Amino acid sequence: GAVVSQHPSWVICKSGTSVKIECRSLDFQATTMFWYRQFPKQSLMLMATSNEGSKATYEQGVEKDKFLINHASLTLSTLTVTSAHPEDSSFYICSASGQGFSSEQYFGPGTRLTVT
Amino acid sequence: AQSVSQHNHHVILSEAASLELGCNYSYGGTVNLFWYVQYPGQHLQLLLKYFSGDPLVKGIKGFEAEFIKSKFSFNLRKPSVQWSDTAEYFCAAIQGAQKLVFGQGTRLTINP
């Protein structure tokens, strides 16, 4: 149980375009979803936390207007990278939990974004 | 700020060797600790976790970790590694309602 999926698994887009990444909890209701960014050979950095039905909470230094997060249901959260630039190329990973921060997070497989 | 440190960036071992990966955290008080593994091309998987109780925690695939409060450590161990253990290993910590903080990761390479 506790499976989280992401779509797409990889995407290539041109600079200036927007890209949407979906994160779904397949067999449980995710009251909280998290979005991380992982640079090559580095650790995961939390970008934002989203609770179903409310606005996401962004970490310091993360542009909320650039990385739009929507958590419209208990099984789906989306991350939209707006006006993407090459420096946005990265591995984006979502995770989900059923009870907020203190409970275990289940991670998705990640989405590799390449902006040309 | 709270932090998690993994001092081994890249560890290379031969099959059947014993493994110990270091993890230290900077939190005071009660903390929940995790070890995750990321196999090449795959997503993060939970190896084991410590919330409370017995400080020696056993996880999947023969891994275990020991929580030593006095040393602020949560080292990962495996008595005999296999080639299939080649992966990236992340230690993480969370305290209360705060965010999950990851260490820098340790790349483990097992030579057959």
Side-chain angles (χ1 to χ4, degrees):
Chain A
V3 178
V4 176
S5 69
Q6 278 184 246
H7 178 79
S9 55
W10 59 271
V11 57
I12 301 173
C13 71
K14 292 186 177 181
S15 187
T17 62
S18 295
V19 174
K20 179 184 284 188
I21 302 170
E22 292 185 350
C23 176
R24 294 181 184 273
S25 58
L26 299 184
D27 51 4
F28 68 103
Q29 293 187 326
T31 52
T32 306
M33 286 186 167
F34 309 84
W35 287 95
Y36 295 84
R37 186 171 179 177
Q38 185 180 27
F39 290 102
K41 299 184 179 181
Q42 294 189 31
S43 188
L44 283 75
M45 298 299 294
L46 181 66
M47 298 174 65
T49 303
S50 72
N51 291 295
E52 185 264 339
S54 59
K55 290 185 178 180
T57 301
Y58 290 80
E59 294 298 302
Q60 191 173 11
V62 178
E63 299 176 58
K64 60 180 66 178
D65 293 332
K66 181 167 188 61
F67 298 100
L68 300 179
I69 291 172
N70 183 278
H71 191 167
S73 76
L74 285 171
T75 59
L76 173 65
S77 176
T78 60
L79 167 68
T80 302
V81 183
T82 63
S83 187
H85 290 98
E87 56 265 32
D88 298 325
S89 298
S90 190
F91 197 52
Y92 293 88
I93 301 172
C94 74
S95 71
S97 70
Q99 296 173 20
F101 277 121
S102 60
S103 71
E104 183 175 333
Q105 294 180 30
Y106 301 94
F107 288 83
T111 297
R112 172 82 54 197
L113 171 63
T114 302
V115 184
T116 61
Chain B
Q2 309 292 22
S3 65
V4 176
S5 298
Q6 292 178 244
H7 307 295
N8 313 107
H9 297 295
H10 188 193
V11 173
I12 302 173
L13 296 172
S14 297
E15 277 193 310
S18 64
L19 169 72
E20 180 161 3
L21 300 182
C23 173
N24 288 93
Y25 60 93
S26 66
Y27 299 70
T30 302
V31 62
N32 297 333
L33 297 158
F34 306 82
W35 273 100
Y36 289 91
V37 61
Q38 188 175 31
Y39 297 104
Q42 296 188 31
H43 62 281
L44 279 172
Q45 299 176 40
L46 181 67
L47 274 179
L48 47 80
K49 60 186 177 184
Y50 173 79
F51 280 13
S52 64
D54 189 343
L56 185 61
V57 181
K58 294 192 182 300
I60 62 171
K61 303 179 188 287
F63 287 91
E64 64 178 31
E66 185 175 13
F67 169 60
I68 303 180
K69 188 174 183 178
S70 61
K71 295 185 178 179
F72 295 88
S73 70
F74 190 56
N75 292 355
L76 181 71
R77 299 194 293 246
K78 185 170 184 178
S80 177
V81 294
Q82 301 171 318
W83 176 78
S84 57
D85 292 324
T86 295
E88 189 88 19
Y89 292 80
F90 293 96
C91 181
I94 191 169
Q95 186 172 53
Q98 298 177 18
K99 64 183 180 182
L100 186 63
V101 175
F102 285 87
Q104 304 92 319
T106 297
R107 184 155 61 102
L108 176 64
T109 301
I110 306 299
N111 293 321

